[in-house]
Amino acid sequence: MGPLHWGICSAGKISHDFLVALKTLPPEDHKVVAIASRELSRAQEYAQTHNIPKAYGSYAELAQDPDVEVVYVGVIHPYHLPSTLLFIQAGKNVLCEKPLGMNAAEVKAMVRAAREKGVFFMEAFWSRFFPASEKLRSLLRQGAVGDVVMVHADFGLPLITVSRCTEKELGGGGLLDIGLYCVQLACMVFGGEKPKSIVASGFLHDTGVDKMGSIILNFSGNRQAVFTYSLLAKLPNRASISGTKGIIEIPSHFWCPLQLVVNGKNEEFPLPPPSQKLNFLNSTGLRYEAEHVRQCLHQGLKESPIVSHADSELVHSILDEVRRQLGVSYPQDQP
């Protein structure tokens, strides 16, 4: 079996980091064969920087490239639906950045299209593929902290001056940008169970998007998840999973974890160093989701067992309800 042939949709910051992360994996396993941007010059610049053979000035050209096996979609989230459907309809496997859609309806539309075309399709919740996250799931299966009763997390960064984070037409808002990391953590810990109730409170920006919020998810059996997220200030950015027999702590930067503290005992999971400068923290960790996609395709899978279609639909259904309570709506929510 030769290397997996990647196509990259968008020449933005996260695509750069994904390309750098791929370089930490064996070249006999992963090869980037093409990149597309709405500006050809931008695609050509990335192609030169990352030694990519082909550059396109449209996503349609990338979709029609017969050498591309799987497309990484790194556009901003209001464009996830049209971009992803374009590639799925062309018969390409797709790894799409989070949040997969602007709402649960968009996620269902993409999942339905992927199933109809028989292609692999996954939301790029990179957090779940870090070795620390693999270890976390293993510890929970083993009952290392007994029965889990509480998940707590906070995620805050001073991003309020970044237009992408506050402009509604760009998919701005703290929940869809960073708050969803907290939600997906709870969904993972509680095994994809739907919460029995959701309580949310927060504050909106002048543009109508959320700039800060707190969420309580109540699960069966008196179990709870409590989160705070903010675009106004840096928070501790830690997470903890508390059970009847102990606690697992994920120190700062829980969304790209390199460390677990299990009942007071510390374990570290270092990342390989990047060969080029990164835009985001610990981005070489994107390597783990890329390798997972290769393994899934090798096994003939159409969805990931770690971020399944049902997982994405559950997370987005929770996000929809939180937005409803906060009073945040997007043009994509109109029927």
Side-chain angles (χ1 to χ4, degrees):
M1 188 177 82
L4 179 61
H5 285 189
W6 289 90
I8 307 297
C9 170
S10 141
K13 289 182 177 181
I14 192 65
S15 292
H16 167 83
D17 285 11
F18 186 78
L19 288 163
V20 174
L22 283 178
K23 291 172 192 173
T24 68
L25 294 166
E28 60 269 23
D29 290 342
H30 297 268
K31 182 179 181 182
V32 181
V33 296
I35 184 168
S37 171
R38 286 176 296 179
E39 296 177 36
L40 178 59
S41 60
R42 185 91 170 142
Q44 290 170 332
E45 177 190 332
Y46 266 52
Q48 186 172 5
T49 301
H50 296 284
N51 196 27
I52 302 169
K54 288 177 276 190
Y56 297 119
S58 75
Y59 302 151
E61 290 173 282
L62 180 65
Q64 296 305 317
D65 187 328
D67 292 336
V68 173
E69 294 176 81
V70 58
V71 177
Y72 170 77
V73 177
V75 296
I76 59 174
H77 32 283
Y79 299 104
H80 284 178
L81 177 68
S83 304
T84 294
L85 290 180
L86 172 70
F87 297 117
I88 287 174
Q89 295 301 336
K92 303 300 185 190
N93 302 296
V94 175
L95 172 66
C96 179
E97 262 307 330
K98 56 84 207 160
L100 199 48
M102 293 299 294
N103 52 44
E106 288 198 349
V107 172
K108 288 176 181 175
M110 287 182 264
V111 167
R112 187 164 56 245
R115 285 177 174 157
E116 287 172 358
K117 292 296 287 188
V119 297
F120 176 85
F121 175 50
M122 187 184 95
E123 182 172 18
F125 261 130
W126 67 315
S127 309
R128 292 195 180 188
F129 301 97
F130 277 72
S133 297
E134 299 270 7
K135 181 64 179 286
L136 172 60
R137 288 193 294 273
S138 175
L139 289 166
L140 293 175
R141 284 193 299 270
Q142 295 164 21
V145 294
D147 298 325
V148 175
V149 295
M150 171 66 78
V151 176
H152 186 271
D154 51 53
F155 192 165
L157 294 171
L159 299 172
I160 202 69
T161 58
V162 179
S163 62
R164 176 186 62 79
C165 296
T166 56
E167 295 301 323
K168 189 171 280 196
E169 58 269 26
L170 300 180
L175 182 68
L176 293 191
D177 194 39
I178 59 179
L180 81 176
Y181 279 108
C182 303
V183 173
Q184 72 82 28
L185 175 66
C187 292
M188 183 185 80
V189 170
F190 289 130
E193 182 181 328
K194 185 177 181 180
K196 296 186 79 67
S197 65
I198 299 168
V199 181
S201 180
F203 302 102
L204 305 189
H205 190 271
D206 294 342
T207 58
V209 304
D210 53 307
K211 58 185 179 181
M212 185 165 73
S214 294
I215 306 167
I216 301 173
L217 305 180
N218 293 308
F219 292 86
S220 63
N222 302 317
R223 297 169 300 152
Q224 204 171 58
V226 180
F227 316 125
T228 302
Y229 66 90
S230 176
L231 297 176
L232 295 172
K234 184 177 181 180
L235 298 180
N237 296 335
R238 296 189 292 256
S240 61
I241 297 98
S242 301
T244 53
K245 295 180 181 176
I247 183 170
I248 299 171
E249 296 167 279
I250 311 173
S252 194
H253 319 308
F254 78 89
W255 64 94
C256 47
L258 305 183
Q259 187 181 6
L260 290 179
V261 182
V262 184
N263 296 325
K265 185 179 178 183
N266 182 61
E267 185 173 357
E268 297 190 0
F269 305 83
L271 274 175
S275 57
Q276 290 158 276
K277 189 179 179 188
L278 296 168
N279 293 300
F280 303 106
L281 182 74
N282 294 348
S283 279
T284 44
L286 293 164
R287 70 199 300 271
Y288 302 116
E289 66 178 7
E291 175 57 20
H292 177 75
V293 169
R294 189 182 77 89
Q295 296 288 347
C296 285
L297 291 173
H298 183 56
Q299 295 168 41
L301 301 178
K302 302 304 180 187
E303 63 179 300
S304 161
I306 296 175
V307 182
S308 68
H309 296 159
D311 289 333
S312 293
E313 290 178 7
L314 173 61
V315 168
H316 282 75
S317 70
I318 295 170
L319 300 179
D320 282 2
E321 174 58 19
V322 170
R323 287 198 296 112
R324 188 192 69 79
Q325 293 187 29
L326 294 179
V328 176
S329 63
Y330 296 100
Q332 293 85 350
D333 296 323
Q334 304 306 314

